[in-house]
Amino acid sequence: MKLTQYIKTELGTQWTANTISDQTQGALSKRTANNWYNGEKRPILELLIDGLKYRKLLQEQDASKGA
């Protein structure tokens, strides 16, 4: 499985490795994310993705409360 496939599986079809870079304000570039995914830092990448999923969930909850 490629990194982008993994991210889309975990975060949904609108997410890409470039989106991860945007969400982390460039701190995690697509290249760095790929290196992490294929190396020993994969657990850190999984934690980051969990954090992004949580942030997205909170945003959706806030949006539904405001509606």
Side-chain angles (χ1 to χ4, degrees):
M1 180 185 297
K2 292 184 177 181
L3 174 67
T4 49
Q5 290 173 314
Y6 172 73
I7 291 171
K8 285 180 180 180
T9 300
E10 290 296 312
L11 294 174
T13 55
Q14 75 275 26
W15 288 78
T16 64
N18 288 336
T19 306
I20 296 294
S21 181
D22 294 343
Q23 287 289 320
T24 59
Q25 299 173 346
L28 189 66
S29 67
K30 184 175 180 179
R31 181 176 182 177
T32 302
N34 266 315
N35 289 342
W36 285 16
Y37 181 74
N38 293 313
E40 60 193 33
K41 292 185 178 177
R42 187 165 176 171
I44 299 172
L45 180 63
E46 290 173 353
L47 279 174
L48 173 73
I49 288 176
D50 284 345
L52 291 173
K53 285 197 289 191
Y54 181 69
R55 184 192 297 173
K56 185 176 181 203
L57 180 67
L58 288 178
Q59 287 172 347
E60 289 171 356
Q61 286 178 344
D62 289 345
S64 66
K65 286 179 185 174

